[in-house]
Structures are given as structure tokens and as C-alpha cells.
Amino acid sequence: MFSTGNLTFIAGLILAQGVLIYSYPKRKLFWARVPAAIAVCLLLAYFFPSPKDLIYNPYYSLLRFAVLFGYTFAGAAFCFNCGTGAVFAACVGGYALQHISYHCYSMLCLIDWFPAGWWTELLICLALCVIAFLTVGRYAAKKYFYEYYSPRMVWISGITILICVGLSRFGRLSRGDTITAVCTSLYAITCCVLVLVLQYFVYNFAQVKAEKETQRRLAEEERKQYEISKTNMELLNIKCHDVKQRLESGRLADGERESLAELIGIYDETVKTGLEGLDVILNEKAVQCRRQGIKFTFLGDGACLAFMNAMDVYSLFGNALSNAVEAVEKVDDPEKKTISITIEKKGDLVLVNVVNWFSGGFRRENGLPVTTKKSEIGFHGYGMKSIRNVAQKYRGDIAITTDGGVFGLSVYLLSDKN
């Protein structure tokens, strides 16, 4: 009544699923949970009834495989700390991989001298899992698949595998010739490979393309905003200069003199870095900080960034300061409502540091901070991605620190493009 075939199947399934799910966030006591989950799955699989008179029944086979799959799905959810949808996605992919290995084994069994047995079946599964780890598994880990998977793709993949397994079970009833058996196995392998490609590559490629288009549109909006800001700053400088001349000549009433003196004080405090594009964005953000009671300081020589395109300067500092202002707004202590920027040049290396306080939790995705704004869900991280893209354009990179409630963004740039 009990069959070791269930153990072979579920052992291969656990191995295949592990290749795709190993990088997922793990629950506490993970290394104690894993052996416990595997032991329970194997135990349940061994005691799952497999009557001899039903072993070739396709309906019973589908039920058996579905139940055994459910065991591994529950075990994976017990060990990994992410949504059930992400766990299900990895388990479906693992089933596809296990099904590929099974049909490879089935075709090899058609060779007279091949040593058929549970151990050769598991060896083939292990070999394919190594290949899958080096391709799909590492790719899924690198792309944080558990955050960006498509539920629609997962369900399509699951239904495809169900149909594929069902046809394979019905195909066994015919017990046809060798050519039929090989064709059935090749069909199953092809379907399962397509499932893995669809689930792990096609959707991601489409997502990357959409993300690049979004970044292109954001860059275009930044260009328009830069032109507007530049024009406004030029007009403000002209107006303030004229008012300052009138104020110094004494051609104003006392009431006008006091209000305009305050305005001129603001004008005299404008940041002058030696680089026009940098002046535009720093003064724009300085006005915003002054209105919100945030102390803003700048130290360095903007001429160090003269090798950069003006739009790149505007994008880098605009996004960095927008993130800093958003973070500092949530800080309760007035003494910590500060933002500081420094620019240093050492040889061909230019280092830009943006430092500010922040409160609350901090979470990363793909190594970058994510937004806490509900209104921006689906667009989170684009500001920081733009900063990193600018840095990489100039053969540099970014580094982020979050020690003691202080957020530090360091941007490394190479001024020598040769």
C-alpha cells in the first residue's frame, strides 16, 4: 500500500524547489525549520496510500502529485518569510524542474543497459538542479524574484504544468512504442522549460523595458523642470538686484524697506558653487528647506563637477535632496532637522556626500531604499535608481549608510572619462 516512489518524487521536488527559493527571506530559526519541514514532508509522502490497482490511474496520479506538492508548498511557507504567492511561484517552478528531470530519466530508462532505480532518478534530478541553480536560480536571486514575480504568469505556469502532467499520465496508459514514449517526454520537457522561461525571464524582460521607459519619462520631466527652475532663478536674480539697488538708494518707504530687506537677505544667502546647474537646484531646495525649518548647508567647490552634463547634475542633486527633505520632515527633534552636502575631489575621483537624519524603519530592495509613500507604490526607488544611473554613467557608484538614525549617501564619480 505504501510506496517508496512517493519518497523519490518528493525528495526530487524539494531539491528542485530549493534551487529557486533559497534566496528568499528566511524566518527565524530557519536552520531548525528546514530539517523539520523536510522530515515531515518525507514522512507524509511515505504514508500517503499508493494502492497497486490505482498506480496507473491518471486521475489518482494527479491527486497524489497535487497532495505531495501541497506538502512541499506548506513546508516552504513554514521556512521562508515572504508572501504565499512568492512561495507558490518558486514551488511551481520547482515542480517544472522536477518534471523535466523525471522525463529525462524516463527516456534514459528506454536504453537497455541504463541502471534504472530511485538513486539514478535522484542523480539526474541533482545534475539538472545544479544547471538550474547556475542559470535560473542565481538569476532569480539577483533580480529579487520574490518581490517582482507576476501572479498571472505563475498561474499560467501552474495550469500549463497541470495539463502537461495530466497528458503524461494519460500517455502512460497507452504504453506505446519507444518513439511515442520519447515524443511524450520531449513534449513534457519542452513545456516545462517554457514554463521556467516564461515565469523567470519573459516577465522580467518586459518589466525592465517598462522601467526604462518610466525612467526616460522621468528624465524628460526633470529636464523640463530644470529649464523652468533656471529661468525662475534668473528672473529672481534680476528682480532682487533691481530691488537691492532701489533699497540702497533710499527710494522706498519704511514699510517696504523692512519687507524687502528680508527678501534681499534671502537673496544674499543664495548658494554660489561655481557651477550654474548646481546653483539652480541647490538654491531651489534651499528655499524649500527654509520654509520647512530645515537647516541646509553646503561645503565644496561645484567646479569639480564641471565635467558633468548640466541635466545629470540637476538629476543627481535634485533626487538626493528630495529624498533627504522627505526623510527630515518626519524627524521630531528640531535640532536634527538638518541636511548637509559636501563635495570633495581627490585626483580624478569626485565624492559627493549627502547626510541627513531620519526616523522610523529602513528597508531596501535591490540594494536601494524604498519609498514609504503609499501614493508612490509601484514607482518606489526611481529617484535613487536615477542617482545610481548618473554615477555609473561617470564610471562611479553609490554607497548608503544608516548608522544611528543618520542616513548617508555617498556618490563616487570619475572626472576623467578617458
Side-chain angles (χ1 to χ4, degrees):
M1 184 175 179
F2 304 110
S3 172
T4 56
N6 288 346
L7 292 178
T8 304
F9 170 78
I10 205 166
L13 187 57
I14 291 172
L15 185 62
Q17 291 172 347
V19 167
L20 302 177
I21 204 173
Y22 77 95
S23 62
Y24 283 27
K26 299 166 180 62
R27 295 188 184 276
K28 294 180 179 179
L29 303 175
F30 173 76
W31 295 111
R33 289 172 178 263
V34 169
I38 292 176
V40 170
C41 286
L42 292 174
L43 190 65
L44 291 173
Y46 179 75
F47 285 102
F48 187 85
S50 300
K52 290 183 178 180
D53 56 333
L54 292 177
I55 193 170
Y56 290 109
N57 186 300
Y59 301 105
Y60 182 80
S61 294
L62 286 175
L63 174 64
R64 178 165 65 98
F65 291 139
V67 172
L68 296 179
F69 173 83
Y71 293 161
T72 60
F73 171 63
F78 175 71
C79 297
F80 292 91
N81 186 25
C82 55
T84 54
V87 174
F88 184 74
C91 290
V92 167
Y95 198 115
L97 181 58
Q98 189 279 333
H99 202 58
I100 292 172
S101 71
Y102 169 75
H103 279 282
C104 289
Y105 167 77
S106 296
M107 286 191 294
L108 289 172
C109 285
L110 297 175
I111 303 173
D112 294 336
W113 51 264
F114 182 77
W118 64 267
W119 60 277
T120 50
E121 184 176 347
L122 286 181
L123 279 177
I124 292 171
C125 183
L126 178 61
L128 286 176
C129 284
V130 171
I131 296 172
F133 172 78
L134 296 175
T135 53
V136 183
R138 293 175 64 179
Y139 181 83
K142 181 181 178 181
K143 297 297 182 179
Y144 295 81
F145 180 76
Y146 63 88
E147 292 281 357
Y148 298 106
Y149 72 96
S150 167
R152 181 179 300 175
M153 292 289 188
V154 173
W155 282 111
I156 292 173
S157 299
I159 293 171
T160 302
I161 293 173
L162 181 63
I163 294 172
C164 182
V165 172
L167 291 176
S168 297
R169 293 296 97 188
F170 279 102
R172 290 190 62 180
L173 290 176
S174 64
R175 299 187 183 183
D177 55 18
T178 300
I179 295 178
T180 302
V182 170
C183 290
T184 301
S185 293
L186 289 176
Y187 166 77
I189 291 171
T190 301
C191 287
C192 289
V193 169
L194 288 176
V195 162
L196 291 173
V197 171
L198 177 69
Q199 186 168 309
Y200 284 92
F201 295 99
V202 173
Y203 174 71
N204 185 263
F205 290 157
Q207 186 184 46
V208 169
K209 184 178 180 180
E211 183 173 293
K212 286 183 178 179
E213 176 62 19
T214 300
Q215 290 183 345
R216 186 193 66 78
R217 292 182 180 180
L218 290 175
E220 180 64 20
E221 291 300 319
E222 286 179 349
R223 187 192 66 78
K224 293 178 181 178
Q225 182 60 41
Y226 170 71
E227 295 298 334
I228 294 172
S229 299
K230 182 180 177 182
T231 302
N232 290 341
M233 186 60 64
E234 290 173 350
L235 291 174
L236 178 63
N237 287 339
I238 293 171
K239 291 292 183 182
C240 285
H241 180 74
D242 292 344
V243 171
K244 186 176 182 180
Q245 294 297 321
R246 292 177 60 196
L247 184 63
E248 290 175 349
S249 66
R251 290 178 293 168
L252 295 171
D254 291 339
E256 292 178 314
R257 184 183 296 273
E258 292 179 1
S259 60
L260 291 177
E262 183 179 354
L263 175 62
I264 295 302
I266 295 175
Y267 168 70
D268 288 336
E269 291 176 6
T270 56
V271 180
K272 297 178 178 62
T273 67
L275 188 67
E276 183 184 40
L278 184 57
D279 291 346
V280 170
I281 186 60
L282 290 186
N283 286 304
E284 180 182 303
K285 294 298 180 181
V287 171
Q288 181 182 356
C289 288
R290 191 178 293 111
R291 289 173 179 170
Q292 298 177 223
I294 299 173
K295 183 179 179 182
F296 173 75
T297 60
F298 171 83
L299 181 63
D301 182 6
C304 296
L305 302 175
F307 63 93
M308 294 180 65
N309 178 279
M311 270 308 306
D312 291 336
V313 173
Y314 187 86
S315 177
L316 192 158
F317 285 90
N319 284 301
L321 284 170
S322 293
N323 291 340
V325 170
E326 180 187 339
V328 172
E329 283 177 337
K330 300 173 184 176
V331 176
D332 295 327
D333 188 349
E335 296 297 322
K336 294 183 178 180
K337 288 183 173 293
T338 62
I339 299 173
S340 67
I341 295 181
T342 60
I343 300 177
E344 301 177 67
K345 191 175 191 306
K346 297 179 181 179
D348 292 332
L349 179 67
V350 177
L351 174 62
V352 177
N353 284 311
V354 182
V355 180
N356 59 270
W357 291 88
F358 73 96
S359 62
F362 180 84
R363 189 166 64 91
R364 303 188 190 207
E365 287 181 10
N366 292 345
L368 299 178
V370 299
T371 187
T372 55
K373 291 183 178 179
K374 293 182 178 180
S375 60
E376 293 183 5
I377 296 300
F379 296 93
H380 61 267
Y382 279 108
M384 199 61 71
K385 287 177 183 176
S386 295
I387 295 172
R388 185 169 61 182
N389 289 341
V390 170
Q392 291 175 346
K393 178 178 178 180
Y394 295 92
R395 296 189 297 153
D397 208 341
I398 66 174
I400 296 170
T401 59
T402 56
D403 299 328
V406 177
F407 181 91
L409 169 65
S410 297
V411 183
Y412 303 90
L413 307 160
L414 280 178
S415 59
D416 180 17
K417 284 191 174 184
N418 298 325

